[in-house]
Amino acid sequence: LGSDSERSQRLARDPRLLSLIEDLVQPGIALFSAKLISKGPNEPHNVCHWHQDEAYWHIYSESEHRLSIWLPLQDTTKKNGCLRVIPGTHKKGIIPHEPRTSRDHGACRLSFLPGERELPNTVYCEIPAGSAVLFSNKLCHSSLGNHTAQHRRAFILTYQEATVRHGKDSDFTILREA
């Protein structure tokens, strides 16, 4: 969606979002990835297992300052599968991840623990639509399934420093030069 839709391009370039990250993502700002995540109605097994995004993304490029902005398009609650994070875990480095399949009842193909598990210090990001959660791609996070009759969608924009000249697929775009 990052390069395919004019609306998502505008969102990724929105000065209000870029101002949130300009002190954290530098030198310069590049869009690494943009995606829409959807949990359909009554999908209690559609979990996102405990993982760190960097376990996936280091194969595309090495970045010291990669981070994501998670933007829910509906109000998010525990019941509809909101984002869950464990504060401070981004400082511990990458935890070894193992492959998972859809038979593991989840959407993440790499993780360090099944998504249904509750871990110490878990924070549920129950926030209204249009809010934002910024997080390091080394932060441990997951989400549960959707136990409601409505969709739960979130748009995720991931940025990295512009001096790293590779991103994920065609989404990669330099937004501000170093």
Side-chain angles (χ1 to χ4, degrees):
L1 288 173
S3 60
D4 294 342
S5 158
E6 184 180 323
R7 278 177 120 176
S8 57
Q9 285 179 23
R10 281 196 318 267
L11 179 62
R13 295 175 182 274
D14 189 301
R16 294 170 295 180
L17 292 179
L18 297 181
S19 72
L20 294 173
I21 65 169
E22 64 191 0
D23 292 337
L24 302 169
V25 177
Q26 56 181 298
I29 299 173
L31 178 66
F32 174 80
S33 166
K35 61 185 173 184
L36 178 69
I37 302 293
S38 180
K39 291 183 183 258
N42 303 308
E43 289 187 344
H45 297 297
N46 184 9
V47 303
C48 185
H49 299 294
W50 285 106
H51 70 284
Q52 296 163 295
D53 291 341
E54 201 61 33
Y56 290 87
W57 292 341
H58 72 92
I59 63 170
Y60 297 104
S61 63
E62 293 292 332
S63 169
E64 293 297 317
H65 303 288
R66 195 165 13 236
L67 65 78
S68 291
I69 301 177
W70 189 80
L71 302 158
L73 303 180
Q74 287 81 31
D75 294 350
T76 60
T77 64
K78 288 181 184 180
K79 195 168 183 180
N80 71 2
C82 67
L83 178 69
R84 304 186 302 173
V85 301
I86 304 176
T89 54
H90 66 287
K91 298 175 184 176
K92 297 183 178 186
I94 303 301
I95 297 168
H97 286 56
E98 61 184 65
R100 299 214 183 264
T101 68
S102 59
R103 289 187 309 274
D104 295 320
H105 300 294
C108 298
R109 66 181 192 281
L110 284 177
S111 74
F112 60 86
L113 279 175
E116 296 88 0
R117 300 254 323 253
E118 176 80 22
L119 297 178
N121 304 316
T122 297
V123 172
Y124 288 82
C125 300
E126 295 184 285
I127 60 175
S131 298
V133 176
L134 281 67
F135 63 95
S136 163
N137 285 293
K138 295 177 182 167
L139 183 73
C140 297
H141 62 285
S142 73
S143 65
L144 294 173
N146 185 356
H147 296 264
T148 71
Q150 289 80 42
H151 280 275
R152 197 281 291 158
R153 295 180 185 101
F155 199 66
I156 304 171
L157 298 165
T158 301
Y159 299 93
Q160 68 186 20
E161 62 272 32
T163 52
V164 176
R165 297 293 183 166
H166 297 88
K168 187 174 180 301
D169 306 324
S170 61
D171 290 344
F172 178 76
T173 308
I174 294 177
L175 303 174
R176 289 188 185 166
E177 287 289 344

